[in-house]
Amino acid sequence: MTTASAPGKIILFGEHAVVYGRPALAVPVKQVQATATVREDARGGVWVEAPNIGLSAPLADLALDQPLAAVIRSVFSALGVSRPPNCTVYVQSTIPVASGLGSGAAVSVAVIRALAVFLGRPLADEQVNALAFEAEKLHHGTPSGIDNTVVTYGRPVYFTQGRPIKTFRVGAPFTLAIGDTGVAAPTKEAVGAVRALWQAEPARWEKVFDQIGEIVWEARQAIERGDLAELGRRMDANHALLQSLTVSSPDLDRLVEAARGAGALGAKMSGGGRGGNMIALVAPPQAESVARALQAAGAARVILTTIP
Ligand code: PMV
């Protein structure tokens, strides 16, 4: 029997613009995770069990574009396994789906690692990342690759599509309150909406993407210097540009305002938007009161996480 886990993730800066070649910053969120276990199974064939989504079926019965089935088949194919051993791939996750916490990527990474080890052929991070990226295309349409990258490597990344991954120094630990609107929002739809805006007026939106790229760069420097006040201001500025891209929502804006009102240093939506999560930068003494303010403003769940 083999088991592997992968953390959730949250995008700090640069979502959406990252699809258009600008950089983005993301960090793992280790309070939530996906776990995959592969064990021999006398029933015969390969079984897929994922109680979270009510799935229990032989792999052979699952459609080619079922994300879990696709990722399992991709591992067999990458390893040249034409007759897989009888086994069950069991998946469990505490990461809320469609909320910007990287649940799809984490499930893929956990399954890829557990299955490769079960087959006696552990994969290097680079290979895990490449296979998880293929699976992300089923979740996202045209993913930038940031989710699978931060989840595979499990550390903060400064990510630009098509470039080698870079990690960055954290000058002083910082604490985030992650507030969930409770509204499931498929990333694919928000990404599609931004694409429609961009196709209609490319010059206008390229300018916005440039401004976001600038903010990402400044935010990275602020993190390296440990300048939390500046980091908070960059969050506010990034949120305003995401609002102009139409990917925020009244629920997200309400949580962002509530966090600021309770003393957060800055706040913004995170990920695809139109639902899902927002983040607020908090000084540790304010963390609990910001968390309470988010709950009072309707957050379905609040996670406090410190980036060491
Ligand atoms: O919704 P999330 O956190 O999975 O992130 C989506 C990030 C986007 O930039 C909107 C899309 C992408 O593929 O990078």
Side-chain angles (χ1 to χ4, degrees):
M1 184 180 98
T2 60
T3 293
S5 297
K9 72 97 215 345
I10 195 93
I11 295 183
L12 300 183
F13 291 94
E15 50 276 272
H16 288 289
V18 69
V19 176
Y20 298 81
R22 274 60 167 194
L25 294 176
V27 294
V29 177
K30 296 186 173 165
Q31 281 85 348
V32 286
Q33 61 174 15
T35 302
T37 300
V38 186
R39 63 170 87 85
E40 285 172 30
D41 188 326
R43 283 178 292 183
V46 177
W47 281 74
V48 187
E49 313 237 339
N52 287 47
I53 54 168
L55 178 67
S56 172
L59 178 63
D61 290 358
L62 296 174
L64 289 180
D65 62 355
Q66 203 288 338
L68 205 44
V71 84
I72 294 169
R73 291 190 185 105
S74 78
V75 174
F76 292 143
S77 142
L79 296 177
V81 175
S82 51
R83 297 188 48 201
N86 296 341
C87 63
T88 291
V89 180
Y90 182 85
V91 180
Q92 243 180 333
S93 173
T94 57
I95 311 174
V97 295
S99 71
L101 284 169
S103 102
V107 165
S108 297
V109 167
V111 167
I112 293 164
R113 285 199 174 124
L115 196 53
V117 173
F118 182 78
L119 296 166
R121 310 267 302 278
L123 293 168
D125 284 348
E126 215 177 12
Q127 294 166 295
V128 171
N129 196 28
L131 289 175
F133 181 56
E134 289 309 307
E136 281 294 282
K137 291 182 184 166
L138 294 172
H139 291 286
H140 277 193
T142 53
S144 62
I146 189 168
D147 279 23
N148 47 285
T149 301
V150 68
V151 164
T152 298
Y153 293 91
R155 53 175 203 242
V157 296
Y158 179 82
F159 176 90
T160 311
Q161 208 170 354
R163 303 236 182 111
I165 69 143
K166 284 196 194 133
T167 189
F168 55 92
R169 212 171 58 79
V170 177
F174 57 94
T175 300
L176 297 173
I178 304 173
D180 190 345
T181 57
V183 178
T187 299
K188 211 171 179 166
E189 283 170 26
V191 169
V194 171
R195 186 157 299 270
L197 288 179
W198 176 77
Q199 277 166 343
E201 283 179 285
R204 172 176 175 197
W205 298 108
E206 283 291 330
K207 228 179 271 167
V208 171
F209 298 147
D210 280 341
Q211 287 172 298
I212 294 177
E214 245 341 77
I215 290 175
V216 174
W217 177 246
E218 290 158 356
R220 174 181 162 172
Q221 290 178 314
I223 292 173
E224 290 183 331
R225 286 198 309 273
D227 184 347
L228 301 187
E230 170 65 5
L231 190 60
R233 286 192 291 270
R234 296 298 91 210
M235 279 189 181
D236 292 344
N238 196 164
H239 184 69
L241 292 170
L242 288 162
Q243 284 175 314
S244 78
L245 276 167
T246 75
V247 291
S248 192
S249 70
D251 289 329
L252 283 165
D253 289 344
R254 192 174 60 249
L255 296 185
V256 163
E257 288 305 324
R260 290 176 186 156
L265 298 165
K268 64 183 277 293
M269 54 153 278
S270 172
R274 299 198 166 171
N277 282 282
M278 51 69 70
I279 55 176
L281 179 68
V282 292
Q286 269 80 54
E288 290 299 332
S289 54
V290 170
R292 274 196 303 275
L294 286 171
Q295 262 146 1
R301 168 193 5 244
V302 179
I303 297 173
L304 287 172
T305 187
T306 295
I307 315 306

